[in-house]
Structure formats: C-alpha cells, structure tokens
Amino acid sequence: MTTPHDTTPQYPFSAVVGMDDLRLALLLNAVSPAVGGVLVRGEKGTAKSTAVRALSALMPAVDVVGGCRFACAPDAPDPGCPDGPHGTGAAEERPTRMVELPVGASEDRLVGALDIERALSEGVKAFEPGLLADAHRGILYVDEVNLLHDHLVDLLLDAAAMGASYVEREGVSVRHAARFLLVGTMNPEEGELRPQLLDRFGLTVEVAASREPDLRVEVVRRRLAYDADPAGFAARWAAEEDELRRRIAAARELLPGVTLGDAALRQIAATCAAFEVDGMRADIVMARTATALAAWAGRTEVLEEDVRQAALLALPHRRRRNPFDAPGLDEDKLDQTLEEFGAAEGTGGDDDPEPDGPDDGPGGGGPEGGGRPPQDGGPDESAPGPELPHQQEREASQEQPAAPEQATGQAQEPAEQSAPGAGGEKAAVGATEPFRTRRLDVPGLGEGADGRRSRARTAHGRTTGARRPHGALGKLHLAATVQAAAPHQRVRGRRGPGLVVRRDDLREAVREGREGNLVLFVVDASGSMAARKRMSAVKGAVLSLLLDAYQRRDKIGMITFRGSGAELALPPTSSVEAGAARLEQLPTGGRTPLSEGLLRAHEVLRVERMRDASRRPLLVVVTDGRATGGPEPVVRAARAARLLAAQGTASVVVDCEAGPVRLGLAGELARELQGTAITLDELRADSVSALVRTVQGNRKAA
C-alpha cells in the first residue's frame, strides 16, 4: 500500500544512531537507483524499517503528468503508458512516494488487474494499476521480504530489473513503466531468500543492535524525544536533513560525469573472480556502486577505496553456496586482491595506502561519507563465516556391536554405555558431508503455501480443470468461460462480433502444483546413537534433509530425545540455518525415551495445526528404533506411534541401526506410525541400491 498521508513528521534519517553501512547503502541508491536496491538483514528491533521510511523524506520531489496514474515524467512520458498518449498538459510536482508491499498481498494487488469480463465482451483493456505502478519513480519497500511467496518475489525483482511491469491475461496484455528504488528488510531467523533472488538485490547490509551502553542510551534518548514531540524533534534535525537533500541532489548531478577508468574496472573484475561469485551481475553492481560512491564523495574519478567499499556492500550475499553459509567477505583477501591488481596498473593507493573510505567518511557517526566503520556490536565481517559441518577426526576405535535384545523387543543398554562416564552426556560431534536426498512427500492433495514438496491446489502450476470463482476471479479459464456463455448468445440478443459475457459465465482455472510442508524432525540423541561414527553419519543425514527442506520451501522443526525426556530444540520456523546450528551443537548420551519424543511431536503438530491448518506435516523420525527410557518403554512408544497415525500424520522413519546384529526395530516403529522406513543408504538420491520409496507408496501398500 502507499504510505498514507500523515501530519506526523517522519523520524529524521540523520537522527538514526549508528548503522553506517545501512545508511550509506540507502543513500547510494538514492543517488543512483541503477545500483539495484538494498536488502537489509538483521535481528528484530534494530530500526531497519525506521531508517528505510526516513529515506523517503530526503528524496527530491518529482514532476508528473497531471492525471496520469503511472507517474509519467512530463519531459519524457512513457510511450506505452496505458493512460497515454500524453499531450502538453500541465505538470504537477509531488513528493517521492514510499509504497509498502504487505506480505499477504495478492498478485493482482502487486502488478495490477485486468477486467477480463469487459475485455471479452467489449474488447476494452480496462486496467486497474497495482503497487508497481504506484511505486514508479519512487521507493518500493518490502518488509519481511523473505516471507513473501516466491512468485511475488519473482514478479517484483523482474520488474525492478527490466524497469517495466507486464500484465497478461488470456492474450490481453498491458505494459507500463516501473522504475523504483527497491528496499527489502528481513530477519534471517525467519528464513532465507533463495540465492538467485539474493543476487537480484544490488547491495546487502547486516545490522545488529549495538552492545555499547552509550550508543544504546542515545538511541533510547532520541526515540523518547521523538515520541514526546515529533514536530519539535524533526525541527531540531531540519538543518542536517536539508544538507543531506542538497548532497543527494548534487551527487545526482555529478554522477554522469564520474569516470570509471580501466584500472578500477580491472580491480572490480579481479575481485569478483577472486571471490568466485556467479555470473556477471556482481561486476555490474560493483561498477555502479563505485561510481555512486565517487559522486557521493564529490569526485569525478573512481578510486581504489570506492572499489573496496563497493565490494563490501555488493559481494557478501553473492558468495553463499548453500543456505548454511553465512554472508561475509574476507577483508584481508579483498585488500590483497586490490593491492595486486592496483599495483599491476600503477594505481591503487599511492596517496592513501590504507584507505578507510571516501574522503569525508562518517568518522563522527554521520551518514554523509562512504567509509565503513565496524558496526557496534555487529558481526565481524573480517572473520571467516561458519562452514558446513564436516566429519571430525577419524575414529580411533570401531563402533561396538549392538547387544542382543530380548524377544519382546525391549532393548538392553548398549555396551558403549558400560564404559566409565559413557552413560552421561557426550560432546557433540561434527556431521558428515551433506548429500542430495530423495524427495519424501505427503500423500493426497493439499492446499497449503506454494512450495516444492507435495501435490497441492495452487495458484500456479498445470491446469487440471475449471470451476466457478469463489469471490474475486483468479486465473481465467478461457475455454470454459466461452463454453458457458455460448448457449445464451441468442437469448442475450447478441448482434455484433463480440461475445456477450455475464458474471455467471466466468470460470477460473483449477491448477495443481506443489506445496511446502511442515517437516518435523524427531532425532534420537540417546546413548544407543552415541558412537561417534554413527552419530556423525546421522547428523549428516539430518543436515541433508534440512537442505532439502530449504530447497522445497518447507517450514521445519526439531525435537530431540535422550535421557529421561524430549526437548523442542527448534520450534517450527522457516530458518534452516537455525536448524543446522541446533544440530551441530547436539550432545548425545543416556537412555532412549522414544515415547517422549513421539508424544512431544504429537503436541507440536497439534498446536501448529491450529495455527495453520492448510500446511500439512511430514514427520521424520531419525532413530534406530530402540526404546529404553521410562516404564514399559516399548509399549508406550507403540501407543504414541499409533496416536500419531490416528491423526493422519504422514511419517518416515530413517533407520540408523548399525552393526552386525540388526533387529529391525525401526521398521516396527514405521508400521505403528503407518509410515515408511528407509535406511541411511536408501535416503541418498544417488545411491545405486536405494529404492524409490515415498510415504504415499507405503500407505498404498498398507
């Protein structure tokens, strides 16, 4: 939605404390929207939205054609504007718009909607503009961009890249200009964007709350002063705001005259190659950012310090190879690359061998410069980010064989726990290298959020039929609509070539695609799994399933059980990074309270079903099937499994049993769950011996 008119002054941009990287990235995009926008990643409560909204007050006003819904410029109107062609009408000046895209917005609200009924019956392109039209020549702000549906993010970023929005419905097409400054904010704990979508944002910055007491005091002091008297607070910062407006305007005028020499271009190309970023977009974004930095500093030549700062803003998010990699850049490697290729060209810092940023960097905490002081309390980007967990040192001893068990199936404690201290908690071990897993899906046809796992009725996918619309018309099924209207043409008095279509004739397409599910992991961390080699393989398998869940756009949760109970290690979330972190720190040891783990899973699924009934769950139990914790452990585990089965919960048991003696307890558990059991080897998609097993196939066999 467009930001509503409000007499309350916006919080001043220049009054924002700290967050130098964020302010600089926003200002560079204000100078040169061609940079490609900003993605702001940070924890909750760090004033991300405050800084973004404050930027709109600094943007210069724009001249628009009077009455044009698409904000065409009077001196260069869009020749394809749906409201055109424009004559020589009077121009209007208006403030730059800040348009906010709600997380729950529909596709029609984003790109606009065509009146299909009028298009069929009258041949008229009746188009209602969407948010992309409202944002033209302004700012489009998406809070929690990582929670948007994937197809909306695709449409949004395509429009940002092409500078135009296309709306097509059954052969009727409308195009209009859509050039805007795109800003997205997100909390990584709630899930990540896909790597190809991350790449479409020009710059990315990380923000974190300062751990410095004096800065935190100043943040609170300013916020309380603003809340008590917004107008008075804004007046006290008016001079600083005017200076920023003047400087943005001056940098925009200077920008076309900035020279990007061959030496700087070579440094840009060498830096992107050294950090192995994919594609060429990073090179282009770095070049545009370095040029904007020079203009912001009042220079007409790009220097090495501009290239360095551009790399720190444009490359960290493009180096991620998988969702478990943290964004970051090795600054020592960056400096070495710039020095090497700067020296090769005879440039790169003779006047300033250790540049800290553009000439008038924000030494006093102001946003005016281009330097990059470390964020207070924020991540140290010079330190290497966490890598995927790998298997630790080779095992010094072989895993002990499992002890024979009684005919009832109740497990004896494994021999490894008889060693001194073995019955207690053991230190966490690393995971083996993750691998590509087979797809495990939920049977039936769901109606959950768009994803890539299980079959579902979705807004996108292959057309399987037609139906009368319930509420607003979705995707029109043209053939079914014509078929419904055809028998009534004579009665309706049709005389010309047009088809007489009534509301009752309209049919919308029924489509089948795939949905994302709630994948709940129940992981056995007891002593029977504590052998280092086995637990390392188990963690590698769960890590692989987490990666698969990320790629299929699932929510995930994790329950672990050991000792005398079960723990919800990770409440259901979209952040697989959080799941990987919990897994890496998982200790092992103690008895095997399998029933407690299953009962905890039942409770978690019950609560999630009330929160989101359309998202279907998939239970993944990672265990060897032993049950030794509490009274009658085997009987209680079977009852808990039957309780989950009675709720219709689709389930998979990943059998982790190892050793020469195999008891098949995991298979028995799968039968009680009415699910399927697969071994670690069968879980691999590239395993020669793996069978093609899915939950649906197992339930059909049952």
Side-chain angles (χ1 to χ4, degrees):
M1 61 181 181
T2 305
T3 302
H5 178 71
D6 192 347
T7 57
T8 303
Q10 188 68 258
Y11 190 93
F13 187 87
S14 52
V16 175
V17 179
M19 297 197 298
D20 298 303
D21 282 353
L22 170 57
R23 292 185 294 166
L24 177 61
L26 291 172
L27 290 169
L28 291 177
N29 275 273
V31 171
S32 175
V35 166
V38 186
L39 177 64
V40 187
R41 297 163 46 92
E43 58 195 24
K44 53 187 175 293
T46 50
K48 301 185 296 294
S49 300
T50 299
V52 173
R53 293 188 176 103
L55 179 67
S56 62
L58 299 178
M59 303 289 286
V62 295
D63 291 329
V64 300
V65 174
C68 178
R69 297 175 297 167
F70 301 87
C72 283
D75 55 344
D78 179 12
C81 177
D83 284 355
H86 297 298
T88 57
E92 299 177 357
E93 184 180 88
R94 74 177 189 198
T96 296
R97 284 179 175 173
M98 163 77 79
V99 177
E100 297 190 32
L101 174 61
V103 170
S106 65
E107 181 178 336
D108 285 348
R109 186 69 188 97
L110 176 63
V111 300
L114 287 170
D115 189 333
I116 298 298
E117 186 174 356
R118 290 189 62 191
L120 287 176
S121 59
E122 303 175 26
V124 176
K125 291 184 180 179
F127 180 68
E128 182 66 28
L131 294 178
L132 291 180
D134 292 342
H136 179 47
R137 304 177 67 201
I139 301 171
L140 182 60
Y141 172 45
V142 188
D143 193 13
E144 306 293 354
V145 64
N146 52 324
L147 302 184
L148 275 180
H149 287 305
D150 285 349
H151 72 282
L152 291 182
V153 178
D154 291 336
L155 291 170
L156 181 67
L157 296 181
D158 284 344
M162 296 185 296
S165 175
Y166 295 85
V167 183
E168 297 190 9
R169 290 284 182 88
E170 308 298 342
V172 181
S173 177
V174 171
R175 173 214 166 271
H176 65 82
R179 292 183 295 275
F180 46 82
L181 168 56
L182 177 63
V183 183
T185 56
M186 59 175 284
N187 183 350
E189 294 179 355
E190 298 175 335
E192 283 287 355
L193 284 173
R194 304 196 310 265
Q196 61 269 40
L197 299 184
L198 278 174
D199 184 55
R200 299 297 289 272
F201 281 93
L203 309 179
T204 296
V205 293
E206 297 274 346
V207 297
S210 172
R211 300 299 183 259
E212 181 64 37
D214 290 342
L215 285 177
R216 297 176 75 95
V217 167
E218 185 61 24
V219 170
V220 175
R221 182 182 290 120
R222 292 186 185 183
R223 185 69 212 190
L224 293 178
Y226 171 77
D227 292 340
D229 183 10
F233 185 83
R236 289 194 292 275
W237 289 90
E240 288 83 352
E241 294 286 279
D242 289 341
E243 174 60 20
L244 281 178
R245 291 189 191 96
R246 182 201 64 77
R247 193 168 179 189
I248 290 172
R252 282 187 169 187
E253 291 182 4
L254 184 61
L255 185 65
V258 175
T259 301
L260 181 64
D262 290 342
L265 274 174
R266 184 173 178 82
Q267 285 183 318
I268 290 171
T271 301
C272 293
F275 285 101
E276 300 179 347
V277 296
D278 295 331
M280 295 298 297
R281 185 174 284 117
D283 303 63
I284 296 172
V285 171
M286 274 191 65
R288 290 172 175 168
T289 305
T291 304
L293 280 162
W296 180 247
R299 290 185 269 100
T300 57
E301 182 181 0
V302 173
L303 303 180
E304 180 179 307
E305 60 200 59
D306 301 321
V307 176
R308 184 182 193 278
Q309 181 65 57
L312 292 172
L313 292 173
L315 295 188
H317 62 296
R318 292 186 166 90
R319 295 194 63 244
R320 302 184 70 195
R321 289 295 181 266
N322 60 71
F324 306 137
D325 289 339
L329 212 62
D330 185 341
E331 295 192 32
D332 291 336
K333 181 177 179 180
L334 173 61
D335 291 335
Q336 181 181 353
T337 303
L338 292 175
E339 180 180 358
E340 176 184 351
F341 285 88
E345 295 293 330
T347 64
D350 291 338
D351 297 330
D352 187 8
E354 295 182 10
D356 290 325
D359 296 343
D360 40 1
E368 291 83 9
R372 188 182 178 277
Q375 299 216 9
D376 299 300
D380 180 9
E381 292 190 347
S382 64
E387 299 180 353
L388 277 172
H390 295 290
Q391 187 174 2
Q392 305 298 313
E393 69 277 1
R394 287 188 167 274
E395 311 304 328
S397 60
Q398 296 295 322
E399 181 184 0
Q400 296 287 341
E405 302 192 348
Q406 298 175 357
T408 60
Q410 182 161 338
Q412 302 294 325
E413 288 302 308
E416 63 201 27
Q417 293 194 31
S418 63
E425 182 175 301
K426 295 189 177 183
V429 299
T432 57
E433 194 72 33
F435 51 85
R436 188 168 64 91
T437 66
R438 290 189 175 278
R439 188 181 74 206
L440 307 172
D441 55 15
V442 179
L445 192 64
E447 295 183 352
D450 288 348
R452 300 181 180 180
R453 183 173 297 278
S454 305
R455 294 174 56 232
R457 293 188 183 93
T458 61
H460 303 273
R462 63 186 182 90
T463 301
T464 59
R467 66 182 178 188
R468 291 179 181 271
H470 303 289
L473 177 67
K475 182 69 174 179
L476 179 75
H477 195 296
L478 182 59
T481 299
V482 173
Q483 186 176 10
H488 309 291
Q489 296 305 296
R490 181 174 298 178
V491 175
R492 293 173 182 174
R494 174 186 170 186
R495 296 292 184 268
L499 191 67
V500 181
V501 179
R502 304 282 173 81
R503 176 69 185 177
D504 290 343
D505 300 328
L506 298 179
R507 299 292 185 270
E508 66 180 5
V510 176
R511 296 190 164 196
E512 181 178 313
R514 292 200 173 271
E515 66 178 359
N517 299 109
L518 167 60
V519 181
L520 182 60
F521 296 93
V522 180
V523 183
D524 186 347
S526 64
S528 65
M529 305 281 288
R532 179 174 292 271
K533 184 176 181 181
R534 190 193 313 180
M535 197 61 201
S536 184
V538 167
K539 285 189 174 184
V542 178
L543 195 66
S544 303
L545 289 167
L546 285 171
L547 181 59
D548 180 70
Y550 165 79
Q551 294 168 340
R552 301 191 187 283
R553 317 308 291 167
D554 296 316
K555 288 183 68 175
I556 63 164
M558 185 181 300
I559 294 170
T560 62
F561 59 93
R562 54 183 290 271
S564 59
E567 174 189 2
L568 181 58
L570 180 70
T573 176
S574 296
S575 175
V576 295
E577 286 182 314
R582 301 293 196 284
L583 182 69
E584 186 176 4
Q585 301 165 5
L586 179 64
T588 57
R591 291 182 174 270
T592 312
L594 177 58
S595 60
E596 299 301 322
L598 297 177
L599 290 173
R600 189 63 185 272
H602 177 269
E603 177 62 20
V604 169
L605 294 179
R606 183 186 67 82
V607 172
E608 289 302 311
R609 194 174 291 113
M610 290 189 293
R611 290 176 176 171
D612 186 359
S614 64
R615 188 179 288 270
R616 298 185 296 162
L618 174 63
L619 182 68
V620 179
V621 185
V622 185
T623 181
D624 57 7
R626 290 179 170 85
T628 61
E632 298 184 320
V634 175
V635 175
R636 294 183 71 243
R639 289 176 180 169
R642 289 194 291 270
L643 181 62
L644 285 162
Q647 296 294 325
T649 304
S651 59
V652 176
V653 178
V654 180
D655 186 357
C656 303
E657 190 173 26
V661 179
R662 303 291 181 104
L663 301 173
L665 299 177
E668 294 181 11
L669 174 63
R671 284 189 288 274
E672 295 287 0
L673 287 167
Q674 296 183 19
T676 188
I678 58 176
T679 65
L680 289 176
D681 284 339
E682 292 170 347
L683 185 62
R684 292 178 177 270
D686 56 354
S687 174
V688 176
S689 61
L691 302 176
V692 180
R693 295 188 181 183
T694 62
V695 179
Q696 184 176 13
N698 181 80
R699 293 172 78 93
K700 285 181 179 179

